[in-house]
Amino acid sequence: MIRSAVPADVPVIHAMIRELAEYERALEEARASEEQLREALFGERPAAYAHLAEDAEGNPVGFALWFLNFSTWRGVHGVYLEDLYVRPTARGGGYGKALLTELARLCVERGYERLEWSVLNWNAPSIAFYESLGARPQSEWTVYRLTDDALKALGA
């Protein structure tokens, strides 16, 4: 089952974010607190949204965390999928596809024309999964990021 997250889900979403960061070999970079997550998802002006995948017993086994972006070329919003994660014991059970299907459904229903995300180059199982759904890499674009000291220096 796929459902929208509620405030009571923040601890389990936070735990799965940390599990994902560990899988991606970057646990030390996952510094967000539960309170920050709660504010981002359920504060006065939510900046992001989340969906949970649950097994037949109602146990959370995965999540998708996303936010709206905007295409100046198409003139409409899209969805940027920040995180998609399914716990190792539940992989292969269709939960990742169900989460992506729900986001695609929302895009179609709301007139959004893009569903985008990034994947680490070394994550071959995820790349194969995404391509099996019809997703294609945007190899002509390179992602750039400013963080930490470089961001502070530029913003000063």
Side-chain angles (χ1 to χ4, degrees), residues 8-125:
D9 296 319
V10 168
V12 73
I13 294 170
H14 185 259
M16 286 192 283
I17 288 170
R18 296 201 44 87
E19 291 170 25
L20 173 60
E22 186 171 24
Y23 172 76
E24 291 184 349
R25 306 171 192 158
L27 183 57
E28 68 285 350
E29 295 179 41
R31 300 184 305 229
S33 69
E34 286 185 24
E35 188 51 43
Q36 287 172 311
L37 189 58
R38 184 174 285 103
E39 181 63 26
L41 294 172
F42 304 107
E44 187 176 318
R45 294 179 54 197
Y49 307 91
H51 283 77
L52 286 178
E54 295 178 331
D55 65 14
E57 291 78 43
N59 300 308
V61 295
F63 79 103
L65 194 143
W66 57 277
F67 55 88
L68 294 178
N69 59 16
F70 185 80
S71 169
T72 56
W73 289 16
R74 295 194 175 213
V76 296
H77 282 292
V79 165
Y80 186 83
L81 176 61
E82 178 66 21
D83 286 332
L84 176 69
Y85 178 72
V86 175
R87 288 182 158 152
T89 57
R91 292 185 188 149
Y95 298 108
K97 183 176 181 180
L99 285 162
L100 284 171
T101 298
E102 176 61 11
L103 294 184
R105 186 194 67 75
L106 283 172
C107 286
V108 171
E109 176 183 281
R110 296 177 184 180
Y112 304 158
E113 294 190 14
R114 290 182 178 163
L115 172 55
E116 297 180 311
W117 61 91
S118 297
V119 61
L120 291 164
N121 291 333
W122 58 258
N123 194 343

Side-chain angles (χ1 to χ4, degrees), residues 110-147:
R110 296 177 184 180
Y112 304 158
E113 294 190 14
R114 290 182 178 163
L115 172 55
E116 297 180 311
W117 61 91
S118 297
V119 61
L120 291 164
N121 291 333
W122 58 258
N123 194 343
S126 292
I127 291 168
F129 167 64
Y130 298 143
E131 289 182 353
S132 77
L133 299 176
R136 295 295 172 251
Q138 300 299 297
S139 58
E140 67 274 13
W141 294 90
T142 299
V143 176
Y144 282 83
R145 179 178 296 160
L146 278 172
T147 61

